[in-house]
Every structure is written in C-alpha cells, then in structure tokens.
Amino acid sequence: MQPAMMMFSSKYWARRGMSLDSAMFDQQQQRHTGSRRSSFCPINEKPDNESGEESGKTAVVFTLKNEVGCLVKALRLFQERRVNLNHIESRMSKRLSNEVEIYADCSCSKKKFNELLQHLKDHVNIISFNTPAHVWSTEADGEDVPWFPMKISELDQCSHRVLMYGSELDADHPGFKDNVYRQRRKYFVEVAMNYKFGQPIPHIEYTPEETRTWGVVFRELTKLYPSHACREHLKNLPLLTKHCGYREDNIPQLEDVSLFLRERSGFTVRPVAGYLSPRDFLAGLAYRVFNCTQYIRHSTDPLYTPEPDTCHELLGHVPLLADPKFAQFSQEIGLASLGASDEDVQKLATCYFFTIEFGLCKQDGQLRAYGAGLLSSIGELRHALSDKACVKMFDPRTTCNQECLITTFQEVYFVSDSFEEAKEKMREFAKTIKRPFSVYYDPYTQSINLLKDTRSIENVVQDLRSDLTTVCDALGKMNTYLGI
C-alpha cells in the first residue's frame, strides 16, 4: 500500500504512535508571532496595569471539548472556589476543531486565583493565565507561527492532544476481534491520559500472556543484535538489563527506564495514549522527552505489529536514547520543528523516519543499524543489511523528499558515517527553515528561549562565555600540571 496523504499515510504514524494532521492544520493550529502570542506566553513577572497585580483582576485561558454542558461544568469550578467572573469570551480552537478556547477574567486575590488554577488543572487544559483580553482576542501583526510549548510542562497539552487512541484498532489488526485485548488497550489509554508532567509513571502489572509475547520478541531480536546493531546499542543494552530489568521474562517499567535515561543522556520518557501529530511528537524531542507506548502487540503474532508497541520503544529506541550524541541528534530535529511551517515539519518528519526509525551507520567498515524501526523488526533488520537493500548517503535536502513505505520494506535506506555527521547535516538543513526567530533550549529551566533580538542573544552569549571560561581554566590547569 502506498502512502495516501501529503507525505505519509495515517498508517505510518500509527506505526510510530503519531498521525499526520497537516490536512487539518487550517482549522486546528494555535498561532503566535515571532514575539509569541501573549495568550500562550508565560506569566508576566513585571506588574503593570493590565496584569492584575494592582487591580486584583486575573485571567485564565483554557480549552474545553465543544460539547453541550462542558462550559457549565467548567464555570461551576469557579463557583466552587468562590471566584467572581468579570468577563468571559469563547472562540473556536485554531488547532482542534472539536475544542473551544475560553477566556475568563476573574476578580479575586492572588491566593484564591492560585487555588483556582490548581483546581482547574485537574479538569481542563490551561493554556495561559494573566493574559489581557485585548491581546487574547486580537490577531497579532506580522507572520503567523504555529503554537509550540515554551516550557516542558506544556508538553502535557501535546501528549494529551491524541488524534486517535491506541484502543481504536483497525479491522486488519490481530487483536481487532479480541475483546479482552481491546479492554486491555483501553486501560493503557487511561494511564497515559491521566499522566501529567512531574508525576512518576504508574507501574504496570503485565499479564503472563503479555510477558510471553515480549519474551519471544526479546529472544529473537537479541540473537541478531551482535551482527546487526550499532555499537551504541550494543553498549547500552547490557546496562538496561542491569538497571532496568531488560530480560526475556520481564517487561521493563517506563519509570525505571526514564530514570536511567535521565542519568545517561538527559532524556526522559512519558506514556502516550495514542497517535500524536508529527508536530506534537517532535516538540517532545526538543525537550529530550520521548512519548512512549506501554501496550504489547497481540500474542497471536508476536513477530508482527501494525503499530509501535512497547517492544519497539524499549528495544529499538531506548538503547540509542541513552547515548549522549544520539540524544543530541534527536533533540536537534525536535528543536528545528518548533514554530516551523506545515511543509517544513513534514520534511523534518521524513528525516526523522529515515534516521531515527530506519537509519544506518558505518562502523569498522561495515553497515550497522541504529534506526528503531529496524532494531525492532527481525525481517527488515536482516533485509536492510543485506545485498538486496538500496543504500544511499544521508542528505536531508534529498532525504526529506523520499517516499516512506508502510506495509513493505523501504525502497532505500540512508547511511551516515556517524551521529555527529548526521547532526551537523541536520543543523545546516535547519537553517533553511523559515521562521522569524531561532530557538535556544535552557536545560536549567527546561524551557525554550526565542532568539529574536539583540537582548535575547546577549543572554545566550553570557552563558556561552561562562562555559568558555571554564574550558579555558581547564586547559590552563592541564598545561600547568600535566605539561600538555
């Protein structure tokens, strides 16, 4: 079957845990300008006449499902906290057609407003607060830029913006007629949808049948890894066995995996309920967060899955995400996607497909696989490294136009000499993406800084200057004590 959509069919993103929504972007995008739409910006820390600090006025913007009775339920939350409403407005969401955005101007103390926010977070998705009404309701001048998360906690909006839930199986899925399996999948959806940033990932009690299925996949793939997987994968898999319980008779827990990755490369994982858009999925990579499924493929065919399951995530992706250089390469793709146009996001998603999912590298004069789609597929892993496969050098300018096949092996695979080389090529490619700013990830605050004027750039230069001072000091000590 050939992809039917603009770049991929939804079937591909089903395999990856995503679904391409480019065809819906006109109605579904939230937008801001290069200076960020204020309706989605962080709290204004400098009091002014509009911020509510002096007047006692505060405001919150949140989203609701466009259903009868939803607004009444939401307003009851204000009543429960005894918060008065001065003004309320609504508008259709620019990102999802089945949602509306609500602007609520309140009159209450700062303490009561903070209590209200905590109460609201348990029931609705909060977009921003302390936002002036005229800013929220007025379209900004200049070039529009699609909304993207400015801090790591806003990934809750991305990860919960599921386009198709993991329990919604196609008719050709091995578990389509298995009601027990379908109910189990609904359980995994609930776990993921209830998860929020900062919480520990819930422990999953896998069934004996699920463990046996994992065991078959684990056993067969580990036979191929010594001769087919890249050295980074081979280095980290034993560490995952030691620290996260990677064994044939045990399915690792995402919380253990996330803690391990944080120490190794700064990456973490979070559970996802179903298919995200490429834009939302890549946004997670920008923060070194990987959206990860927890369900297991159907037991009747353990060596086949029409979508990514936890076998794919844990055996294909995680060992590479533990490598610092690969982690940085993954983050580079994510950062390049923030605020990019639909067309550029499609190109980046294709580069993601042919690298992080199906990429090859050269090591010790031989081809090795580092793509998770290969490292979790016995048949395609063998094929990609055989004489029958067509292999070309990775070049984002041409790779981004390559067709991605869904139900058959790829017509071509792309190879890089190293992750560093692939990263440098992606950096050059990212320079061709048109957006009125650059982005800088601050690992201390886990937030994105927009580099759009001299002041914002000066702040980054100050950080770099501090790092260079440390490097120069180290070089001086090496010269003094080691004579180097």
Side-chain angles (χ1 to χ4, degrees):
M1 180 191 76
Q2 301 297 319
M5 292 187 68
M6 296 166 64
M7 181 176 67
F8 307 125
S9 74
S10 59
K11 282 249 182 204
Y12 160 63
W13 294 111
R15 292 180 61 190
R16 171 51 270 148
M18 300 183 282
S19 181
L20 189 64
D21 62 346
S22 296
M24 300 182 285
F25 273 152
D26 287 343
Q27 297 297 323
Q28 294 177 349
Q29 287 176 332
Q30 295 169 332
R31 298 180 180 272
H32 57 71
T33 65
S35 59
R36 292 285 293 170
R37 283 285 303 282
S38 298
S39 54
F40 304 108
C41 69
I43 302 172
N44 182 3
E45 297 177 356
K46 296 181 179 180
D48 56 36
N49 292 332
E50 293 177 320
S51 67
E53 295 293 332
E54 297 178 354
S55 66
K57 289 186 178 182
T58 47
V60 59
V61 179
F62 56 91
T63 62
L64 295 173
K65 292 287 186 182
N66 191 13
E67 298 173 354
V68 175
C70 279
L71 180 57
V72 173
K73 293 178 182 177
L75 295 181
R76 191 172 294 130
L77 302 175
F78 289 79
Q79 182 180 15
E80 292 171 358
R81 285 295 180 266
R82 298 184 178 277
V83 173
N84 292 326
L85 285 171
N86 299 319
H87 180 74
I88 186 169
E89 292 183 27
S90 67
R91 70 181 182 194
M92 293 301 298
S93 170
K94 295 187 177 182
R95 185 158 188 159
L96 291 180
S97 59
N98 65 339
E99 286 189 356
V100 292
E101 296 173 7
I102 306 298
Y103 172 89
D105 183 15
C106 317
S107 181
C108 62
S109 67
K110 185 176 181 180
K111 180 181 178 181
K112 274 198 171 185
F113 184 65
N114 289 334
E115 292 174 351
L116 172 67
L117 291 178
Q118 293 302 317
H119 191 45
L120 287 174
K121 285 179 181 178
D122 295 331
H123 300 86
V124 300
N125 285 327
I126 296 178
I127 296 176
S128 68
F129 44 96
N130 286 349
T131 304
H134 76 277
V135 175
W136 180 77
S137 60
T138 304
E139 291 295 329
D141 296 329
E143 183 179 355
D144 284 340
V145 177
W147 178 88
F148 59 87
M150 289 290 286
K151 52 186 178 181
I152 194 169
S153 60
E154 292 181 354
L155 289 179
D156 284 344
Q157 297 179 46
C158 299
S159 297
H160 292 168
R161 234 178 259 283
V162 179
L163 300 179
M164 181 177 177
Y165 289 94
S167 57
E168 298 172 355
L169 308 182
D170 290 336
D172 59 351
H173 193 285
F176 179 74
K177 296 181 179 180
D178 187 338
N179 288 330
V180 174
Y181 182 77
R182 293 174 71 96
Q183 288 300 314
R184 182 65 168 163
R185 291 288 289 265
K186 288 182 179 179
Y187 163 73
F188 287 111
V189 167
E190 292 175 0
V191 170
M193 291 302 290
N194 289 328
Y195 176 82
K196 293 184 179 180
F197 169 75
Q199 297 176 343
I201 302 174
H203 182 92
I204 300 295
E205 291 291 343
Y206 286 101
T207 66
E209 183 178 27
E210 288 169 336
T211 303
R212 285 194 298 271
T213 302
W214 157 271
V216 173
V217 179
F218 183 89
R219 182 174 62 252
E220 295 303 317
L221 283 172
T222 50
K223 292 177 184 177
L224 290 177
Y225 287 157
S227 57
H228 289 68
C230 65
R231 66 170 70 99
E232 291 79 7
H233 189 281
L234 296 176
K235 174 185 176 182
N236 288 319
L237 192 58
L239 296 176
L240 288 162
T241 299
K242 178 180 179 180
H243 298 287
C244 301
Y246 271 54
R247 300 192 310 272
E248 184 176 333
D249 62 348
N250 180 67
I251 303 175
Q253 296 293 324
L254 286 194
E255 179 67 11
D256 296 334
V257 170
S258 193
L259 293 174
F260 172 81
L261 288 177
R262 185 189 295 275
E263 291 185 0
R264 299 290 298 181
S265 67
F267 247 90
T268 58
V269 299
R270 61 175 294 158
V272 66
Y275 311 148
L276 304 179
S277 71
R279 187 181 295 280
D280 285 339
F281 182 84
L282 295 179
L285 297 183
Y287 288 87
R288 298 203 175 201
V289 173
F290 188 83
N291 285 277
C292 193
T293 56
Q294 289 181 289
Y295 53 80
I296 295 289
R297 62 193 65 184
H298 198 261
S299 60
T300 57
D301 196 353
L303 300 184
Y304 167 76
T305 177
E307 73 224 315
D309 67 344
T310 203
C311 299
H312 167 80
E313 317 285 29
L314 296 177
L315 294 173
H317 282 289
V318 169
L320 270 300
L321 289 174
D323 180 79
K325 291 184 177 179
F326 182 84
Q328 188 173 9
F329 172 55
S330 301
Q331 186 180 29
E332 294 277 347
I333 296 179
L335 288 170
S337 75
L338 299 181
S341 67
D342 301 347
E343 180 182 0
D344 285 331
V345 167
Q346 292 176 30
K347 291 179 179 179
L348 290 168
T350 307
C351 290
Y352 173 97
F353 183 92
F354 284 108
T355 53
I356 295 176
E357 289 290 350
F358 289 93
L360 300 175
C361 61
K362 292 180 181 178
Q363 293 181 343
D364 301 324
Q366 294 182 316
L367 287 181
R368 289 290 183 266
Y370 72 86
L374 297 176
L375 292 168
S376 59
S377 171
I378 296 170
E380 190 153 11
L381 181 56
R382 287 172 173 158
H383 168 76
L385 270 64
S386 70
D387 295 336
K388 298 179 181 179
C390 175
V391 178
K392 298 180 180 180
M393 289 300 297
F394 173 63
D395 182 348
R397 295 171 299 179
T398 55
T399 302
C400 70
N401 297 314
Q402 180 64 38
E403 184 179 14
C404 305
L405 302 183
I406 310 305
T407 58
T408 63
F409 295 160
Q410 300 306 308
E411 292 180 349
V412 60
Y413 300 92
F414 294 93
V415 61
S416 300
D417 288 330
S418 65
F419 298 145
E420 195 67 26
E421 179 199 57
K423 182 179 65 179
E424 289 303 319
K425 288 182 177 180
M426 282 304 302
R427 281 180 175 171
E428 289 300 312
F429 181 69
K431 293 178 182 178
T432 66
I433 294 176
K434 295 180 180 180
R435 55 185 178 184
F437 53 81
S438 293
V439 296
Y440 175 77
Y441 176 68
D442 185 339
Y444 303 109
T445 60
Q446 294 183 294
S447 61
I448 296 294
N449 294 330
L450 299 184
L451 305 183
K452 61 187 186 307
D453 51 38
T454 55
R455 184 172 182 178
S456 59
I457 294 174
E458 284 173 0
N459 292 334
V460 174
V461 171
Q462 289 292 338
D463 292 339
L464 296 176
R465 186 174 295 159
S466 176
D467 292 339
L468 288 175
T469 299
T470 302
V471 172
C472 290
D473 180 61
L475 291 173
K477 290 180 177 179
M478 289 174 62
N479 183 53
T480 301
Y481 295 102
L482 301 176
I484 298 177

